[in-house]
Every structure is written in C-alpha cells, then in structure tokens.
Amino acid sequence: MDRYIASELIPPFLFGIGLFSSIGVAIGSLFEIMRTAVEVGLPISLVLQVLLLSLPQYMAYAFPTSVLLSTLLTYSRFSSDSELVALRSCGVSVYRIVLPAILLSLIITCITFGFNEYVVPAANYQAKVTLDKALNKEQPLFRDRNILYQEYGKVERPDGSKEKVLKRLFYAERFDGQQMKGLTILDRSQNQLNQVVTAQAGQWNPIENTWELFDGTIYEISADASYRTILRFQHQKLQLPRTPLDLANDKRDYNEMNIAQSIERLEIERDSGDDQKVLKLRIRIQQKIALPFACLIFGLVGSTLGNRPQRTSRATGFGISVVMIFGYYFFTAVGDALGLTSSVPPIVAAWLPNLVGLGSGIFLLFKVTR
C-alpha cells in the first residue's frame, strides 16, 4: 500500500514543480528580463542563462505547493475510485492511509531546506552578477561609495528616564576595498554632539582593532555648542567599531544570503542598534526556516482533504489548491505585518501560516476520522 500510494503521489508532484516553477519564472523574471533584452540588445543565450539562474528560487516556492497539489489530487482520485473505501473496509485507518503522504512530505521538506539554503542564494547572486556584467554595470564585490553607519544607544535623561538616541554617525564617500575616503564622523556618545572628525582617508587595523585616519581634523565641541579645540593630524587612531567595514563588504541582499550569512548580517545590524532593521532580519531568518516546513503542512492538509467521501474532479482539486496557496501567502503577509509592527515576536510572525495550516490539517483529520 505504501509503495502504491507513493508511486501515485510522485508524478503529480513533479508536474506541480514544473507548472508552478514555470509560472513563477514567467511572472517574476521573464517579462522584466525580456524587456531589458529588447532595450539593450542582450543575446538570447545570456537571457536563457539568467532565466535558468532565476529558476531555483521559484522551484523552492514550488515544492510546498506541488506537495499540496499532489496529495490533494491523488487522494481525491482514490476517493473517487472507491479505493479508500476498500482500504477502510480492510481495517486500514485514515491515519495509516495518510501516513505515506506525511513521510513523503517530510522527505521533501528536508530537500527543500537544503535546496533553499545552498542552491537558491548562490543562483540569485550569480544571476545578478551576470546581468549587471552584461549591462556594463559590473560592480565590485563590496559597496564602493556612500557607506553610512548609524550607531544607536540608550542615554539617561535628567529625569532618570532612558531614551534611545543616535550615538555615532559614520560616513565615507568612497571605498576601494582597502581604504575609505572622505570620512566624516559625528560622535554623540556623551549625550550630546561633542566631537566631529573629518579625514581624507581611513582604514581598519585588524591587529590593534582600531581605525587609522589620515590627513584630517578633530573638532571638539563644548557644552555651549562652541568649538573648544581644533586638532589637525596626519595620522590618528580612533577606537570605533568595525561595523562600517563589515557593512561595506556585505553587498548581498536578503534573497542572496543563506541562513548562516543572514545571521552574520544580523550581528552587524545588531551592533548598529537599529531595532527596526534587526527586527526585519530576524523575521526573514525565521521565514527561511519556516518555508520548507510548509511542505509537511500542505502534505497533511492535502491528504486529509482528499480523504473526504465527496467525489472531487481534477479541476476542482486544482482550484482548491490555488485557493489554499493564496490563503497560505495571505497569512504570510499578515504575519509579516504583525512582526514588523512588533505586535508578535519574529518567530510567531514567520511561523503564523504554518501554525494556521497545521491547526486546519489536524482539525480536518479528526473530522474525517469521525
């Protein structure tokens, strides 16, 4: 029975991957790339290369939806052909009937996690680099201009209350991979603006963990906002965080980073004290973990819905799959909005659609068994 059910689940699953991946590429990348190709005159070989590199991202999204389509269509077909009635009459419970779909969904969950962790970020990054190079917009692997770092911290007010304010602002006009040029540093670490540093160049000293600044001026400001001291220097060392250099060397966006890289980026953002960026990145990391488990949720829901005694055509099963997919991503958007407004913790925001789906699947399973 297990071999039979598994053999019936695999073909519609593969069909779903091809279908949903093709739709995703067509909507998400094809039209934009074709428009760019026509405007710039890109060769068709390069267009195909970029499209192929964009495909893994949509395949990762297609794995859960394909599991839903496969289980729903397969078990609905079993129900329509009275095969479920035959199994039940032999004493096989509903729990045992849906078990092969759950186990197969668990395997696909592991595959999706590995695929989304090791293949998708690298492919997305390579697609961006390939397209930029073709458009003569090849950029260095680091941020080469306008590096801005804002460090926040809590200060105590005269009334004893604590408030989060900007403590330090670091700005560099250019970065060549070794030195930053055109530096301006505003220091408010003493509850007020007490120092302004400008320098022609600066670089990080990894041995002493300090910034070495060259050819600049330090303006020390007194409490009445007047210049207290003006010091010109040719070479000066300052105890500042390494974070601006980390930000300059990190140019990948969220879709081009795996979980390990995202956690490293989280530590960088956490050093800056920008709670909103930290919160958003924490939600995105949890979403990377939660997405593969949607395969397991959809496997449970699809196999349970297919076990209903009503006869369901393939067109109806496909329509139910589309509705449930939209429902899943609707709750994803709701959880994202609740998380970004700090209404719920990041882990709840990311796992909300899975929790709703799990609750629905368990409810439907108990209802079918009765």
Side-chain angles (χ1 to χ4, degrees), residues 322-356:
V322 171
V323 172
M324 293 187 62
I325 291 167
F326 275 108
Y328 179 85
Y329 287 109
F330 169 77
F331 281 106
T332 299
V334 171
D336 198 53
L338 292 174
L340 291 175
T341 56
S342 300
S343 301
V344 296
I347 189 171
V348 176
W351 287 82
L352 178 63
N354 286 357
L355 294 175
V356 174

Side-chain angles (χ1 to χ4, degrees), residues 23 30 36 93 102 128 159 162 200 205 238 243 263 279 357:
I23 294 174
L30 178 61
T36 304
S93 67
I102 301 300
K128 184 185 73 172
D159 59 359
K162 291 186 177 181
Q200 293 295 321
N205 186 332
L238 287 183
T243 311
I263 292 176
L279 178 62

Side-chain angles (χ1 to χ4, degrees), residues 151-157 160-168 188-192 271-275:
E151 182 181 354
Y152 294 85
K154 290 185 178 181
V155 298
E156 187 172 348
R157 298 301 185 187
S161 62
K162 291 186 177 181
E163 183 179 356
K164 189 173 185 178
V165 298
L166 180 69
K167 291 181 60 177
R168 189 177 288 115
R188 303 180 73 248
S189 56
Q190 303 299 322
N191 301 341
Q192 59 185 359
D271 290 340
S272 71
D274 192 335
D275 289 343

Side-chain angles (χ1 to χ4, degrees), residues 294-319:
C295 298
L296 189 60
I297 302 301
F298 280 159
L300 173 63
V301 174
S303 58
T304 304
L305 283 175
N307 266 280
R308 296 178 306 168
Q310 295 90 346
R311 295 182 180 270
T312 304
S313 65
R314 290 193 175 186
T316 303
F318 186 80

Side-chain angles (χ1 to χ4, degrees), residues 35 153 180 187 233 255 276 307 313:
R35 183 184 64 82
M180 292 189 178
D187 190 354
F233 62 87
N255 291 324
Q276 192 62 29
N307 266 280
S313 65

